[in-house]
Amino acid sequence: MQKAILFALLLLGGALSAQQPLSEGPFDQLIIRGATLINGNGAPPIGPVDIVIEKNRIARVANVGFPGVAIDPENRPELQAGGREIEAAGMYVLPGFVDMHGHIGGRAQGAEPDYVFKLWMGHGITTVREPSGRGVDFTLDLKRKSAENQIIAPRILAYTGFGQGHDGPVSTPEQAREWVRENAGKGADGIKFFGAEPAIMQAALEENKRLGLRSACHHAQLAVARWNVLHSARAGLTSMEHWYGLPEALFADRTLQDYPLDYNYANEQHRFEEAGKLWAQAAPPYSDHWNAVMEELLALDFTLDPTFNIYEASRDLHRARRAEWHEEYTLPSLWRFYAPSKVSHGSYWHYWGTEQEVAWKENYRLWMTFVNEYKNRGGRVTAGSDSGFIYQLYGFGYIRELELLREAGFHPLEVIRAATLNGAEALGMEGEIGSVEVGKLADLVIIGENPLENLKVLYGTGAIKLTEANEVVRVGGVKYTIKDGIVYDSKALLEDVRNQVRQAKESEGWELKQPGKD
């Protein structure tokens, strides 16, 4: 079993060496001492607790005292010979985060897996569902290497883009069923749909469900007029991505989006500008039709994966474009991909202004109302980022997603549950991950600040705080990410990314400049 990945040791007591090692473990026994536990099951924080890990499993979660009272050493789990400890008094432990919509980079963005994985792991993301990418073989190879801890990476769930690898388009229900069987035979965990002819969607979803696999769908406008979220949910879809297809299911006085007559779907500004007006065309919140659609989705145990963050630049372009992490963590190739372009997906800033942003603000208000009420009525909502597009960076975009769930009305504990146990349930992995319970895999996040008080402390750049001495400091950033019992130094992972970006800039003689500036 692997005892060290890449560099050096994590010293006893959890102290860092001068070389900032990236990882160590798994151990026969690891004890996290004296932390406050924020579990993913909706329970309030409790501490101090000692968490005992044996190899890659949680063996014990022990309450060892009371806040502000010295801990009796006789009341603590005993460290075995050769075991390791992390002294976590004053720190917080959470389950590892689940990113339900994480593309593993892309050639167009120039973002390779090592760069993406370290950004994810540096932000406490220990499980990622990739909803299509460079092909099932590419993703399954990375999944295997991650499972064997040959690479620094979250555990990966591979959802193949529907029809990917097929010789020509999938054009009949029987071809759809055959492709689904082949996809399952290759070892994929599920399918990512973008929409298709109704008979093809019905056949593919039914076959996929029969085989016991799961599914996700971005209900693209090219097919949504005849097949929206309700059709997919009835046919067995596991989760909807983003929000496309939901307003269409909520139409009460029309059957189609109100497209301008000069609209062209291949024009990215047309596509995203008009999408920002779509929720206003749906039935109003709490109306009969709005309630009926929600109740049917709830009855079908359907999952919403809203990915709020990926569209946030639509309502505030300057904010997303000027996010401070771009300076040190965004590759030159990725920045070029983000810039206004007629050919790069999501680079729709042909002429983006106040009118577009005002429409998108209202879009968010109506969208968030539905998602929050869905949660309130017992529906499952998860956290997904879809980073690598629209000025959203891997890892950082995921934390922004948590902030936006909070904006939608989620209590911070509900945010954490969306990011952990809800994601595990949507993946069918709630018996293995998603909460800190005996027998589950040792996927954990350790941080020195309380994220319930301020989710911004989860950003790799930390949160700005003014001390009592009137000194401005940075606090937070995940300290350790534990996956499969292996302890990763989260800050060292992010420093490695900064070095990658620095080297790319130096090799190109490149500096970050805002679009349109010399």
Side-chain angles (χ1 to χ4, degrees), residues 412-423:
L413 285 171
E414 293 175 324
V415 172
I416 299 304
R417 184 168 61 191
T420 56
L421 188 57
N422 284 6

Side-chain angles (χ1 to χ4, degrees), residues 286-338:
Y286 309 106
S287 63
D288 289 346
H289 185 54
W290 193 91
N291 280 318
V293 170
M294 179 175 291
E295 291 302 324
E296 183 170 358
L297 294 176
L298 288 167
L300 291 167
D301 192 29
F302 194 63
T303 296
L304 307 186
D305 186 41
T307 68
F308 287 127
N309 80 99
I310 195 58
Y311 303 105
E312 191 179 20
S314 302
R315 69 174 188 172
D316 193 346
L317 175 56
H318 286 291
R319 182 196 187 283
R321 202 182 66 225
R322 298 305 295 260
E324 64 178 347
W325 41 82
H326 289 313
E327 301 291 336
E328 295 185 300
Y329 292 99
T330 297
L331 287 168
S333 57
L334 189 52
W335 186 256
R336 288 190 291 266
F337 179 82
Y338 290 152

